[in-house]
Amino acid sequence: RAAAPGVVRAMRDGMPDIPFTDPDAPDLTDRSCGNAVIIDHAGGWQTRYCHLRRDSVLVRSGDSVAAGTPIGQVGLSGKTEFEHLHVSVHHDGQVVDPFQPGEAATCGETGETLWSVPVPYLPGGLIAAGFAAEVPEFRQIKSGTAHRDSLPATAPALVLWGHMFGSRPGDLLRFDITGETGTVLSRTFQLDRTQARLFRATGRKRGAAPWTAGPYTGIVRLIRNGQEIDRQTNTVTIRD
């Protein structure tokens, strides 16, 4: 949806929804934004909306839009590896952070932010966590098919995975699995770089004996600068 009233300056549609790393992805020279809409606003302001879904763009160049006007659907076009909307705000050609606009915000009445309704800023967090009998592939995690509600007592391993966004160097991901008999596993990963999206997984292999039947709880915590900023909890039932 349009972030503010304005006039559509440009749009593009027709590019496929495909990760840019795919061998069949198109040439993205000068088209990294994918299917997109650019809206001019008063006072030298502009918003740009990238990675829209093919054949979903609802506006054309020259259209006038109000705040909230639908302009398209979230997609996977352009230089991206997962579905999302990339919105950028510009003032007189310079990129502006709407959460910390600085002097550029003096044209409005919002003071320290450009949002008409304050939006909480999440500098990173957990998307999901779950159990599996082996380390899942990232495509399974991204599609939401990796978690298992139950596993047989003969499962080769008990694996807990965590899916997060916005990692920073030094972040810690802590994994804890507990069952009716106590702690099954406790492990912490230290992340070493900034990533838009990632996952980690850890677990225990089954020994000679089967897993003890019953419920198991997995907790994944994201810790930054010594403070827990997010957590995800999930459960799995081991069947006899």
Side-chain angles (χ1 to χ4, degrees):
R1 296 177 181 272
V7 176
V8 177
R9 177 180 179 182
M11 56 76 64
R12 177 169 52 231
D13 202 347
M15 293 182 64
D17 291 280
I18 185 172
F20 81 95
T21 53
D22 192 295
D24 295 325
D27 179 15
L28 296 177
T29 302
D30 298 325
R31 297 190 300 168
S32 62
C33 193
N35 301 318
V37 173
I38 300 176
I39 300 176
D40 283 337
H41 309 285
W45 291 90
Q46 185 183 84
T47 51
R48 304 178 186 181
Y49 311 78
C50 299
H51 311 312
L52 301 177
R53 181 174 298 177
R54 181 168 59 183
D55 299 329
S56 78
V57 179
L58 300 173
V59 293
R60 296 294 181 265
S61 298
D63 286 354
S64 295
V65 296
T69 297
I71 58 175
Q73 297 179 348
V74 174
L76 186 61
S77 62
K79 191 174 182 181
T80 182
E81 294 185 85
F82 55 93
E83 297 88 344
H84 73 287
L85 174 66
H86 182 107
V87 181
S88 58
V89 181
H90 302 251
H91 186 248
D92 291 338
Q94 301 297 312
V95 177
V96 175
D97 182 349
F99 290 96
Q100 294 181 318
E103 295 180 359
T106 57
C107 70
E109 299 177 356
T110 53
E112 297 179 355
T113 175
L114 293 181
W115 299 101
S116 58
V117 177
V119 176
Y121 179 67
L122 302 176
L126 289 158
I127 300 170
F131 282 98
E134 59 185 2
V135 176
E137 296 182 14
F138 200 12
R139 62 177 178 81
Q140 296 174 297
I141 290 176
K142 290 187 288 186
S143 67
T145 62
H147 173 65
R148 296 292 177 264
D149 290 323
S150 64
L151 293 170
T154 56
L158 185 59
V159 174
L160 177 64
W161 54 265
H163 181 197
M164 71 164 290
F165 69 94
S167 70
R168 296 181 180 178
D171 282 354
L172 302 177
L173 273 180
R174 177 176 169 177
F175 292 75
D176 292 284
I177 301 176
T178 57
E180 293 182 338
T181 59
T183 300
V184 175
L185 175 146
S186 183
R187 183 179 181 187
T188 300
F189 293 91
Q190 180 167 322
L191 306 180
D192 59 2
R193 59 195 175 108
T194 299
Q195 289 183 266
R197 193 174 183 185
L198 70 146
F199 88 99
R200 293 290 185 273
T202 187
R204 274 186 55 187
K205 292 183 177 180
R206 177 178 57 82
W211 296 105
T212 301
Y216 290 74
T217 299
I219 302 176
V220 181
R221 297 175 174 89
L222 173 60
I223 300 168
R224 178 171 294 165
N225 299 323
Q227 300 293 319
E228 179 182 307
I229 65 171
D230 203 0
R231 71 163 62 190
Q232 286 274 344
T233 302
N234 217 326
T235 60
V236 65
T237 299
I238 299 296
R239 308 185 307 270
D240 286 324

